[in-house]
Amino acid sequence: MKTLLVPLRNIPMMTSTLDVVVGLAQRSGAYIEGFPLRFGIPQYVAAELATGILLDSYQVKTEAELNDMRNFFEAFMLKHDIPRAIAGSRGPCFGWLETAPEGEDFVGTYGRAFDLIVMARSDVDAAGPHRRAIESALFESGRPVLLTPSNAPRSIATNIMIHWNGSTEQARANAFAMPLLRAAERVSVLTVIGGQGVAGPSADQIVQQLRYNDIAAQVRRVELENRETGEAVLDAARAEGCDLLIKGAFTRTRLRQMIFGGATSYIMEHADLPVLMAH
């Protein structure tokens, strides 16, 4: 994973997100590109601001926030001895995209040119546009998305748990994660007995596949025990001291998850460790 895209927002969780990004880049020698994630002005707000001085004031404030995000990002990189990229640079190094347009959809289209998109996870109190930006990355980029918690772990991807539910989405997430799985010290493949899943290969078959790829994985099984599937997964990862969870995203449709709940939504809102997701 040599190219990392980081959409920045002016929120406290960005420090944790950049800690994770720097850790990955230093391990793999990656190029990191940041850009400001801007959601634009809702139409009803734009109508109210279109009275001259109010609109000018809003634009000045927005420009100041963009400058703050760039300064924060660049200072963070330089503090951690990651230099600015120049012609012929080899990683780790960083760059900043000046021309990112407004709108959460840009994450999904621009992210196709990167190996990994890294974003702060969406908790239960997150703004709707932030959640939509994550979904744009998952559904439109064709790339894996790493969601970071509010507190970065001391290490990342040394002790990895795969939540195996038999699905196409999980198989795709596993494939994207292979560079990290090969470098990990420990890998476990979790099955939640009685949890959400689909017809597909067993966890034992996935372990066999990983072992043929020189990854010494072990099967881990837990009972649901009156918990949501996502809660059981996070409890298991916490008990094993994992510093990365590999999770296929939205095996059930987004609408079904909104109505009935689902492991993806629960983990996106409650994970206290980094989660690599793919759809």
Side-chain angles (χ1 to χ4, degrees), residues 84-183:
R84 193 183 312 275
I86 57 175
S89 285
R90 301 187 67 85
C93 57
F94 77 89
W96 179 260
L97 180 65
E98 287 279 7
T99 57
E102 292 182 345
E104 54 268 28
D105 293 344
F106 179 70
V107 181
T109 54
Y110 191 62
R112 296 167 193 163
F114 291 82
D115 297 324
L116 181 66
I117 303 169
V118 187
M119 303 178 70
R121 73 165 174 80
S122 174
D123 61 26
V124 291
D125 298 320
H130 183 67
R131 176 66 176 254
R132 291 195 296 273
I134 292 173
E135 292 182 358
S136 174
L138 284 169
F139 284 89
E140 303 300 333
S141 71
R143 310 306 299 165
V145 179
L146 181 65
L147 301 181
T148 63
S150 55
N151 295 304
R154 293 182 179 178
S155 62
I156 180 171
T158 63
N159 182 358
I160 301 176
M161 177 169 283
I162 295 169
H163 171 220
W164 182 252
N165 62 1
S167 70
T168 303
E169 292 79 11
Q170 187 60 52
R172 189 173 291 119
N174 291 4
F176 279 129
M178 289 300 281
L180 299 177
L181 292 168
R182 288 194 175 98

Side-chain angles (χ1 to χ4, degrees), residues 8 12 18 27 54 86 94 96 103 112 127 154 168 189-190 192 200 219 246 248 250 253:
L8 268 79
L18 292 185
R27 285 180 57 185
L54 288 178
I86 57 175
F94 77 89
W96 179 260
R112 296 167 193 163
R154 293 182 179 178
T168 303
V189 180
L190 175 72
V192 180
V219 174
I246 310 298
F250 295 109
T253 66

